[in-house]
Amino acid sequence: MSPQTVTHRVEFLHHPHPGYPHLTAWGIRIDGTDLRALVAEATRALWDRELDEDDDTPEEREEFLLRQHAPLHLDDDADGARARAHFLGDAPPELRDHHTGALCLLGCPCGIDACWPLLAMVRATATEVVWSDFHQTNRPEWGELPLGPYVFSRRAYTESLSAPVLLTEDPLGLLPK
């Protein structure tokens, strides 16, 4: 890591999926903020160009922004090896952009993660994990989203991934619609 590199803190979370509470989701916080809230802020101006402001109240618009993605439901195995592999850059083909290699960090609230994915490049080295080049494949005109890059200590990253914070409800309080 160079002296100018800002190291971020990541927390992986395990909690009920906001759309399907019988499923366990892998949530993510960066520096204490849910990744969905960071994406909501990063896409607010982009959505403002597409959506008619007269169609929704400010509260409905905010809920829409927070609900545009859901935490991933990764097939759980006994020791979490699949999730660790995924978040270290070895995602299954259906959760990866076959052109760029970017992988899905958040999925679609419909329950099919690849339907409306938040994608990013994930590069893992012996000392750090970097998330960069965030984009939404269904909105190529948006280009790269103003998120990151996020640089994490590999040690802290793998520790959080190996022992996710267990929550009994979605940390954003989003209930099934």
Side-chain angles (χ1 to χ4, degrees), residues 15-18 20-25 73 76 111:
H15 58 79
H17 190 286
Y20 302 89
H22 63 286
L23 299 176
T24 301
H73 168 68
D76 287 326

Side-chain angles (χ1 to χ4, degrees), residues 95-162:
L95 295 179
R96 189 178 263 300
D97 182 319
H98 65 277
H99 296 296
T100 66
L103 63 88
C104 185
L105 293 177
L106 292 173
C108 186
C110 80
I112 301 170
D113 290 326
C115 177
W116 179 258
L118 172 70
L119 297 171
M121 296 300 296
V122 174
R123 181 180 54 83
T125 70
T127 59
E128 66 185 19
V129 178
V130 180
W131 292 358
S132 63
D133 306 309
F134 289 82
H135 62 282
Q136 170 43 259
T137 57
N138 295 317
R139 291 289 192 283
E141 66 277 12
W142 285 3
E144 186 177 332
L145 298 175
L147 284 170
Y150 298 110
V151 179
F152 309 106
S153 153
R154 170 75 180 246
R155 182 188 54 73
Y157 186 96
T158 56
E159 284 174 4
S160 179
L161 192 51
S162 295

Side-chain angles (χ1 to χ4, degrees), residues 13-17 22-27 72-84 87 161 164 166:
L13 315 170
H14 243 183
H15 58 79
H17 190 286
H22 63 286
L23 299 176
T24 301
W26 281 86
L72 296 179
H73 168 68
L74 299 171
D75 290 332
D76 287 326
D77 49 355
D79 64 358
R82 286 187 197 120
R84 282 196 304 280
F87 287 112
L161 192 51
L166 302 176

Side-chain angles (χ1 to χ4, degrees), residues 29-88:
R29 285 187 191 134
I30 298 174
D31 299 329
T33 302
D34 194 292
L35 182 56
R36 292 169 292 169
L38 295 171
V39 173
E41 194 54 42
T43 59
R44 185 178 309 280
L46 297 165
W47 281 117
D48 284 348
R49 289 186 275 179
E50 292 187 33
L51 302 174
D52 186 343
E53 68 182 52
D54 295 332
D55 287 345
D56 301 310
T57 67
E59 294 80 17
E60 290 169 330
R61 178 66 60 93
E62 192 61 29
E63 184 175 355
F64 168 80
L65 290 170
L66 288 172
R67 284 185 178 276
Q68 69 181 302
H69 291 290
L72 296 179
H73 168 68
L74 299 171
D75 290 332
D76 287 326
D77 49 355
D79 64 358
R82 286 187 197 120
R84 282 196 304 280
H86 178 89
F87 287 112
L88 285 167

